[in-house]
Amino acid sequence: MEPFNAASEEGLERALLSCLRSHRWAGRVAAHRPYPDLDSLLAAADEAAYDLGWSDLTEALAAEPLPALPPDTYAAAHTALSAAHAAYEARFGHVFVICLGGVSPSETLDRLLEAIRSRLTNDPEEERAVVADELRRLAKERLVGALRGAGNRALDPSGPAPGR
């Protein structure tokens, strides 16, 4: 945690944007240092994510990629998933997000299609709450991965700012 705590606020905020592309979230996480341990950092990241408004979430959603499928997925599955994404975006006006941490590659497609179909039945307010939770879970997963990853420099505050 020492390099994380010692980094400049601006540099760390830029690096945190690779976990969740919300300037408000990154600024709050960076501003509440020092963190004694990873659990404290994750608790602060969660708290900062819970406090995000819809405009902050929209900012984060604009930078979210679609979930990737395993490379050996057949073409019909890509077509089905593309259609499901299009239906979701038409209904809610933003990209579909889901945290798939712990899901095996062989289950990814089924989990994605099941989640999109299920969430298409949500009303917009209900879906906003689900989206906020999924973005919070994605940020936490990425933050853990960046801090624990051997040789991973995703949270190196001296590195380049993440692209959009």
Side-chain angles (χ1 to χ4, degrees), residues 81-92:
L81 191 58
S82 292
H85 280 296
Y88 180 92
E89 288 186 33
R91 172 140 169 75
F92 297 111

Side-chain angles (χ1 to χ4, degrees), residues 40-79:
S40 299
L41 170 59
L42 295 178
D46 265 356
E47 182 180 330
Y50 281 124
D51 289 342
L52 295 178
W54 185 243
S55 63
D56 302 308
L57 296 173
T58 300
E59 175 188 24
L61 283 168
E64 280 297 317
L66 293 175
L69 291 177
D72 61 345
T73 303
Y74 54 94
H78 285 280
T79 302

Side-chain angles (χ1 to χ4, degrees), residues 110-128:
D110 290 339
R111 187 69 68 86
L112 280 169
L113 287 172
E114 174 187 329
I116 290 175
R117 287 181 186 133
S118 170
R119 288 170 52 187
L120 277 168
T121 65
N122 290 346
D123 65 56
E125 278 305 307
E126 191 176 24
E127 185 58 17
R128 282 183 177 190

Side-chain angles (χ1 to χ4, degrees), residues 140-156:
K140 190 173 178 177
E141 182 179 279
R142 291 169 182 163
L143 190 53
V144 167
L147 288 171
R148 289 192 175 158
N152 188 330
R153 298 185 59 82
L155 283 180
D156 179 357

Side-chain angles (χ1 to χ4, degrees), residues 2-103:
E2 189 174 324
F4 185 92
N5 287 328
S8 73
E9 190 166 331
E10 298 81 22
L12 185 58
E13 188 174 333
R14 278 194 322 270
L16 285 165
L17 290 172
S18 67
C19 298
L20 183 66
R21 188 77 174 169
S22 164
H23 286 83
R24 183 169 180 224
W25 176 84
R28 287 196 56 201
V29 172
H32 285 94
R33 292 175 295 154
Y35 295 104
D37 53 38
L38 179 60
D39 289 339
S40 299
L41 170 59
L42 295 178
D46 265 356
E47 182 180 330
Y50 281 124
D51 289 342
L52 295 178
W54 185 243
S55 63
D56 302 308
L57 296 173
T58 300
E59 175 188 24
L61 283 168
E64 280 297 317
L66 293 175
L69 291 177
D72 61 345
T73 303
Y74 54 94
H78 285 280
T79 302
L81 191 58
S82 292
H85 280 296
Y88 180 92
E89 288 186 33
R91 172 140 169 75
F92 297 111
H94 57 79
V95 69
F96 175 80
V97 292
I98 186 170
C99 181
L100 293 170
V103 174

